Amino acid sequence: MTVRCQDVRLSGYTTLRLGGPARTFVEVTTEDELIAEVRAAELAGDPVLILGGGSNLVISDAGFPGTVIHVSTRGVTVEDGLVTAQAGEDWDAFVARCVREGLSGVECLSGIPGRVGSTPIQNVGAYGQDVSETITEVRAYDRRTGEILTIPAADCGFTYRHSVFKGDDRYVVLAVTFRLAASPDSAPIKYAELARALGVEPGGTVPLQDARDAVLALRSGKGMVLDAADPDTRSAGSFFTNPILDERQLKEFADRAEGFPAFPEPDGRTKTSAAWLIDHAGFPKGHANGPVRISTKHTLALTNPTEEATTEELLALAREVRDGVRAAFGITLVNEPVFVGVTLG
């Protein structure tokens, strides 16, 4: 059933606990309601913001001057190794179910906050797994044509933390289908830190629940599993993406620094660590700017520990970090969360 309210503060719907009021706030629980509300807002000439778990959003203190549609659709089906989840399903609950039912391929993505519908937008990934490895198709509403489409993974434009859905409001994700392996064991463990925690060599496998438990422990140690008692979890996760450098950029970086992490990419470029850059530019864990700070557990997370900050105060810290890294290493960090009504400038 659709629920409609006015002037709802969006800070209550984001993991950062930031964001001003939505002029109109609508909660939908079915696909038909979701599409109908998008169409109605468009006919009224209203801007539309599709809101899931709010874990990857930085929203203006002024809020959103239009209709915010909170997606709470539910439903998961499993058939012949294909698992389809509605956009409003909680992501970690979905992963837990897959692990419980012996479906391998998303276990290393345990503990990530948010909803299933956001995962293809961001090409969510962690600990050596990306959702693009298992997504087969995305069901979406095309706001440009008014059609409901089934978009195969090959047409989703998946790259590092990006897709055709990100930065463009044309598509509203309705459901996501994954191809998962029926296996009691994990996919090969690619991430060195996770392999060490599990006591296996990279490329080895472990029982699904062991992989999930280890990932949750690692994420919790970094303040990356939502916990009302832990102020470091009042964040949007990793605030900056890991830079990917071409040959010229890598040479210029190497002229300024040594001992930095370097990970070859398939296209010949090299990925380095945003956390390393931030730390070595002089911004340690716990570095504060007014009421906001870098997490005390994880250099990439910017936090609102007392829930008393403003979005502008958070952005001031983000600019301080970005500008400091650029001055030290000539690399400009790019924000990972989606910005609504704000910019780093």
Side-chain angles (χ1 to χ4, degrees):
M1 186 177 92
T2 302
V3 178
R4 184 182 305 273
C5 305
Q6 304 296 318
D7 296 321
V8 172
R9 290 200 65 82
L10 296 174
S11 57
Y13 292 86
T14 69
T15 53
L16 268 167
R17 294 295 182 256
L18 295 174
R23 191 177 71 204
T24 302
F25 184 92
V26 183
E27 182 150 9
V28 297
T29 57
T30 70
E31 180 180 293
D32 287 345
E33 289 175 355
L34 173 53
I35 294 170
E37 290 297 334
V38 172
R39 287 174 172 164
E42 289 176 336
L43 285 173
D46 244 5
V48 175
L49 173 63
I50 305 298
L51 176 64
S55 60
N56 198 48
L57 282 179
V58 178
I59 300 176
S60 163
D61 292 315
F64 188 75
T67 299
V68 174
I69 302 175
H70 191 217
V71 182
S72 296
T73 54
R74 295 289 186 269
V76 178
T77 61
V78 182
E79 185 176 358
D80 296 329
L82 294 176
V83 185
T84 299
Q86 296 300 302
E89 284 285 338
D90 179 82
W91 172 254
D92 189 55
F94 171 74
V95 174
R97 174 176 174 168
C98 292
V99 168
R100 190 168 58 248
E101 296 185 6
L103 296 169
S104 172
V106 292
E107 58 280 352
C108 293
L109 302 176
S110 293
I112 295 176
R115 299 190 177 180
V116 168
S118 66
T119 61
I121 297 172
Q122 187 78 1
N123 187 16
V124 164
Y127 294 101
Q129 284 183 347
D130 292 334
V131 291
S132 58
E133 298 170 6
T134 51
I135 288 176
T136 62
E137 62 188 34
V138 175
R139 180 175 167 87
Y141 172 66
D142 187 339
R143 296 176 61 186
R144 187 178 301 171
T145 66
E147 298 176 294
I148 296 174
L149 305 176
T150 297
I151 305 173
D155 294 335
C156 290
F158 289 127
T159 57
Y160 172 63
R161 301 299 169 265
H162 198 75
S163 71
V164 297
F165 310 107
K166 187 173 181 180
D168 186 341
D169 62 3
R170 174 177 177 176
Y171 299 108
V172 178
V173 175
L174 304 174
V176 186
T177 299
F178 303 82
R179 181 174 293 281
L180 303 178
S183 171
D185 292 328
S186 68
I189 303 297
K190 302 175 186 176
Y191 201 77
E193 181 186 20
L194 179 58
R196 287 194 299 271
L198 288 163
V200 298
E201 293 295 320
T205 63
V206 297
L208 284 173
Q209 190 62 52
D210 289 357
R212 174 170 166 78
D213 290 345
V215 168
L216 288 172
L218 288 171
R219 290 185 64 87
S220 293
K222 298 174 182 179
M224 290 295 190
V225 175
L226 293 180
D227 179 354
D230 184 355
D232 277 329
T233 69
R234 291 171 204 136
S235 77
S238 296
F239 199 89
F240 297 105
T241 59
N242 290 320
I244 300 178
L245 310 176
D246 61 27
E247 187 176 351
R248 177 188 59 80
Q249 292 170 320
L250 181 63
K251 182 180 183 308
E252 291 175 355
F253 180 33
D255 288 340
R256 295 189 182 211
E258 58 183 29
F260 55 85
F263 309 99
E265 290 290 296
D267 62 4
R269 296 184 297 166
T270 301
K271 182 189 296 182
T272 192
S273 165
W276 187 96
L277 291 166
I278 293 167
D279 189 50
H280 286 76
F283 300 101
K285 296 170 186 173
H287 173 84
N289 184 335
V292 293
R293 72 184 185 201
I294 295 173
S295 167
T296 64
K297 303 180 183 70
H298 183 39
T299 311
L300 272 182
L302 307 187
T303 68
N304 174 20
T306 65
E307 301 188 29
E308 296 177 355
T310 65
T311 299
E312 278 306 312
E313 288 170 328
L314 180 86
L315 293 175
L317 174 59
R319 293 184 188 108
E320 180 191 8
V321 171
R322 179 201 60 186
D323 294 348
V325 168
R326 184 163 53 199
F329 300 113
I331 294 173
T332 300
L333 295 177
V334 176
N335 54 283
E336 184 168 325
V338 174
F339 284 1
V340 177
V342 294
T343 176
L344 280 183

